[in-house]
Amino acid sequence: MNATSHNPSDEQADLAAIRTTVRRFVTREILPNIERWEEDGSFPRALYQTAGEVGLLALGFPEAVGGVPSSEMATLVVVEELARAGSGGLIAGLLSHGIGLPPILALASDDLAAEIAPAILRGDKVCALAVTEPGGGSDVANLRTTATRDGDDYIVRGSKTFITSGMRADWLTTAVRTGGDGAAGVSVLAIPGDLPGIQRSELQKMGWWCSDTAALHFDDVRVPARLRCGSEGMGFLGLMHNFNRERLMLAGMAVAFAEVCHADALEWARDRQTFGRALITRQVVRHKLVEMQTRILGAKALLHQTARQVDAGGEPVAEVCMVKTLATDTLEFVAGEAVQILGGMGYMRGTRVERIFRETKVLSIGGGASEILRDLAARQLGW
Amino acid sequence: MKILVTAKRVTDPNAKLVIDDDGSWIDDDVEYILNPFCENAVECALQLAADHDAETIAVGIGDEEVQRYIRQGALARGIDRGIHVEADEQELDSDLIAKILKALVEKESPDLVVLGKQAVDGDSNQVGQLLAEMLGWPQATFASDVKIEGDEVIVTREVDGGLEKLAVTLPAVITADLRLNDPRYASLAGIMKAKRKPLEELELDDLDLDGEEPKVRVVKLHEPTGRSAGVFVADVDELILKLTTEARVL
């Protein structure tokens, strides 16, 4: 046998290789620093560039703009490994382009996409999605920030809030109203962060400390019309496009963090001696740990099944809603039980369990609150 | 210019190894990684290739699984192509591995061979030296810095009490030490690209080494004997008493 082979490795080998690289990145770049970044309320911008070199930011984006196309399963592997650092804020901040960039790519011309995307995927520019407004979160169709045409520009006026990476984003993928009421009047503008008239103020949060979250005010900001992504009125469709991926990723974070909580609780229960015996020998603790694991396995099974459906080209909107609610409910339960098992230590800053417990609610609310998603699932199922 | 570099798969040093019931080998259901010293060798080859416009080739020897580590450890980092030599790992020793590499050197005619100074599984630290001897090439082992100047390689080596600087003429064999460089990440784009890079599969027969026997065989593997738990002593007198009467070391 003297042949030159080009056998593609199977999916498992790819996923294992991706896991190896991301694990190394997390071990070297994140784990030694995460405590400090969380307490400081920020992580260095240089981390975007390192992540860019590793290719982490490019994963799942088209090759034409410098991306590395991949499966949802690969994204879940990345999220699982990043979750080992026990900081959702880091994931949300580092990967804020994961929601900020897809609407641009879905709507904008190839030229505009090529102008904006590569620097973001390299980690040289930070991208944030600016949709939510003080007047309403999930009700995208009724947003009130306006963009009024004036010659070759739009004049943008209005406010956005809860914007992840909003403090330092170089590109703000902003949903604006260019037309009449409802979804048909919504457009998307790629707004450079340094335009005059953009005011940013930092918001303090329950969790996700190391990701910056901003309220943005657009005070008659003049935005070149060529930065509109797609035609006027197409914005809503481009934004909807985002939701499945975002929700699947949030579900992935929730399951991964639940696994971290379970692992830390299990380790604690094995080590911790009470009344002369390890905690894990107590039936009440054993049952807790098994119940946690049971719920995790259930959520993970649905997560992988749904991801594979998406990878096969499906758009299982109802299932994505359901897996996100199942995963975040699971995390709320598991993180609560993990804190309980760790006892006093679980209440102390500096453990992963304490931090993740503070981050459960953001996952149950962000990217579509559980109540909204259950309603959407019912409608999708024709009920 | 052409550089041949080794990409050996080793068991993860953090993994718990399980020895087969008959003590002949380890259970291969265990985590593997690319030998860390081979990572340094790969990084060295890539840096030299960037500066001197060289083609780079990574070699792995073993069963089919080894291909994964050639692709993901070497090709994904930027090595141009791979060669996998199919062989039964239990039938390999440093001498036979050096013979395989010698045959590959004769086939590929590289200007430089860069190896890890040793593999962290067997810790033999012999292959680079044997290969240089078999080829009649100069060698510079435990390199902590490598530069090519004209037809010479300037290698800094870490030796007892300081650094030693050698100039060896090309072609040459170099083995990489841990402080030679900081191996780059296998980027996710690199991992995807690596799937499309050529990986040649060879058997010992293709290298005229069929029937070659290793000079060293593993006779038996066993776990280190367990240690019994220590005891606390009340004072120095009791310690001395126990060392004298029980441990009998005084």
Side-chain angles (χ1 to χ4, degrees):
Chain A
M1 186 166 68
N2 207 342
T4 297
S5 70
H6 297 268
N7 295 338
S9 319
D10 60 23
E11 189 201 11
Q12 288 309 316
D14 283 356
L15 295 181
I18 290 170
R19 191 182 291 284
T20 303
T21 283
V22 182
R23 181 165 296 187
R24 190 183 192 127
F25 170 79
V26 170
T27 305
R28 286 188 3 177
E29 316 288 344
I30 301 178
L31 286 179
N33 304 308
I34 188 64
E35 285 299 327
R36 187 162 41 83
W37 293 344
E38 277 287 319
E39 293 295 330
D40 290 352
S42 185
F43 62 87
R45 259 192 91 119
L47 190 69
Y48 286 99
Q49 277 152 335
T50 315
E53 281 164 33
V54 173
L56 228 113
L57 306 181
L59 200 73
F61 288 95
E63 237 166 355
V65 292
V68 179
S70 78
S71 60
E72 288 299 328
M73 287 302 290
T75 306
L76 291 180
V77 166
V78 171
V79 168
E80 230 173 73
E81 288 302 318
L82 289 174
R84 286 196 311 122
S87 165
L90 185 100
I91 301 176
L94 191 61
L95 302 183
S96 63
H97 75 298
I99 51 174
L101 193 50
I104 295 177
L105 297 181
L107 297 168
S109 66
D110 290 352
D111 284 352
L112 187 56
E115 179 185 333
I116 297 173
I120 294 170
L121 298 183
R122 280 198 307 272
D124 294 336
K125 302 274 184 194
V126 176
C127 179
L129 180 70
V131 175
T132 302
E133 299 190 345
S138 298
D139 192 4
V140 179
N142 289 313
L143 59 87
R144 281 189 280 202
T145 298
T146 57
T148 315
R149 189 71 187 241
D150 180 36
D152 287 339
D153 300 326
Y154 284 102
I155 309 295
V156 177
R157 179 181 295 180
S159 295
K160 299 287 177 184
T161 193
F162 311 146
I163 307 307
T164 301
S165 290
M167 288 308 290
R168 57 182 173 187
D170 303 293
W171 287 103
L172 296 160
T173 306
T174 311
V176 293
R177 184 163 300 287
T178 51
D181 291 345
V186 175
S187 301
V188 167
L189 297 178
I191 301 182
D194 58 359
L195 291 185
I198 301 176
Q199 291 163 25
R200 316 183 191 215
S201 42
E202 184 148 17
L203 301 172
Q204 302 294 325
K205 307 179 293 294
M206 178 191 284
W208 280 17
W209 288 354
C210 80
S211 90
D212 74 71
T213 304
L216 304 174
H217 186 67
F218 297 92
D219 189 8
D220 287 344
V221 177
R222 189 167 278 273
V223 181
R226 67 175 197 86
L227 295 177
R228 187 188 67 226
C229 302
S231 348
E232 282 198 1
M234 293 294 291
F236 192 74
L237 273 179
L239 293 168
M240 290 297 119
H241 196 75
N242 234 1
F243 287 148
N244 259 355
R245 272 202 76 188
E246 180 186 7
R247 287 169 188 158
L248 207 50
M249 180 163 159
L250 290 167
M253 281 170 71
V255 170
F257 283 133
E259 288 189 302
V260 168
C261 286
H262 185 267
D264 285 1
L266 180 60
E267 192 187 342
W268 179 264
R270 283 189 168 131
D271 288 351
R272 174 72 168 164
Q273 301 284 323
T274 54
F275 307 101
R277 272 159 60 188
L279 214 48
I280 190 142
T281 62
R282 310 286 175 189
Q283 187 182 48
V284 67
V285 173
R286 298 166 69 77
H287 285 195
K288 264 190 205 298
L289 286 164
V290 169
E291 181 60 23
M292 290 156 78
Q293 181 74 314
T294 306
R295 295 197 195 190
I296 291 169
L297 288 175
K300 196 169 181 176
L302 185 60
L303 176 69
H304 285 188
Q305 179 186 309
T306 311
R308 287 189 195 284
Q309 269 178 279
V310 173
D311 284 340
E315 278 198 62
V317 175
E319 285 84 349
V320 168
C321 291
M322 290 188 278
V323 74
K324 198 231 172 202
T325 53
L326 176 63
T328 55
D329 285 355
T330 299
L331 178 60
E332 288 201 26
F333 171 77
V334 171
E337 292 290 72
V339 170
Q340 197 68 21
I341 290 171
L342 263 71
M345 189 51 76
Y347 198 68
M348 293 299 114
R349 293 236 293 261
T351 63
R352 295 196 292 186
V353 162
E354 180 271 340
R355 192 157 65 224
I356 292 169
F357 180 76
R358 281 189 284 104
E359 296 182 348
T360 54
K361 276 294 170 190
V362 68
L363 294 173
S364 300
I365 295 169
S370 300
E371 294 75 9
I372 295 275
L373 294 187
R374 289 200 175 92
D375 209 48
L376 175 56
R379 271 184 284 137
Q380 284 286 322
L381 294 165
W383 301 345
Chain B
M1 187 170 191
K2 202 189 255 190
I3 303 172
L4 194 71
V5 62
T6 50
K8 187 188 193 298
R9 181 189 78 159
V10 295
T11 49
D12 186 336
N14 298 316
K16 167 97 178 102
L17 301 185
V18 178
I19 295 170
D20 288 345
D21 290 341
D22 62 358
S24 62
W25 205 246
I26 56 156
D27 182 352
D28 64 4
D29 184 19
V30 64
E31 290 281 313
Y32 288 91
I33 60 167
L34 186 67
N35 177 34
F37 293 110
C38 286
E39 290 193 340
N40 295 106
V42 165
E43 179 63 35
C44 173
L46 289 171
Q47 288 180 13
L48 292 175
D51 293 343
H52 301 277
D53 193 26
E55 184 192 11
T56 49
I57 309 160
V59 183
I61 306 169
D63 65 19
E64 205 183 337
E65 275 294 295
V66 164
Q67 291 189 12
R68 204 161 130 179
Y69 300 85
I70 301 174
R71 280 199 197 280
Q72 289 154 12
L75 306 190
R77 285 189 162 95
I79 296 289
D80 297 317
R81 61 186 169 94
I83 299 175
H84 166 223
V85 180
E86 174 88 33
D88 180 352
E89 241 178 294
Q90 293 187 52
E91 297 292 319
L92 290 171
D93 68 347
S94 301
D95 179 72
L96 186 46
I97 290 168
K99 282 179 182 152
I100 293 170
L101 292 175
K102 174 175 181 273
L104 288 174
V105 166
E106 282 159 1
K107 178 177 176 300
E108 293 285 347
S109 309
D111 302 280
L112 189 65
V113 182
V114 189
L115 307 88
K117 72 168 182 182
Q118 68 197 60
V120 299
D121 51 4
D123 278 336
S124 301
N125 182 1
Q126 293 181 351
V127 173
Q129 294 88 331
L130 285 166
L131 176 64
E133 174 63 23
M134 288 176 189
L135 289 166
W137 287 9
Q139 59 175 297
T141 53
F142 313 148
S144 63
D145 188 58
V146 176
K147 283 190 182 62
I148 296 180
E149 291 177 6
D151 61 352
E152 284 187 336
V153 194
I154 312 298
V155 176
T156 307
R157 312 177 65 223
E158 292 186 355
V159 293
D160 288 343
L163 298 174
E164 179 184 50
K165 213 170 202 181
L166 296 180
V168 291
T169 48
L170 288 170
V173 174
I174 291 173
T175 72
D177 210 334
L178 209 56
R179 278 173 291 278
L180 174 57
N181 49 45
D182 186 14
R184 69 194 63 189
Y185 287 100
S187 78
L188 303 190
I191 289 168
M192 296 301 172
K193 276 188 203 140
K195 289 193 285 185
R196 301 195 287 266
K197 288 188 176 177
L199 204 165
E200 188 177 4
E201 294 169 38
L202 297 173
E203 293 183 3
L204 291 181
D205 195 24
D206 300 315
L207 300 170
D208 290 328
L209 290 169
D210 206 22
E212 281 286 334
E213 296 284 331
K215 291 179 175 168
V216 179
R217 283 186 191 282
V218 173
V219 179
K220 196 165 181 60
L221 294 170
H222 62 83
E223 298 261 356
T225 37
R227 283 177 47 183
S228 48
V231 291
F232 284 98
V233 291
D235 50 32
V236 174
D237 289 343
E238 190 190 344
L239 174 66
I240 291 171
L241 185 70
K242 279 186 182 291
L243 288 174
T244 313
T245 59
E246 291 180 24
R248 294 174 191 280
V249 293
L250 290 181

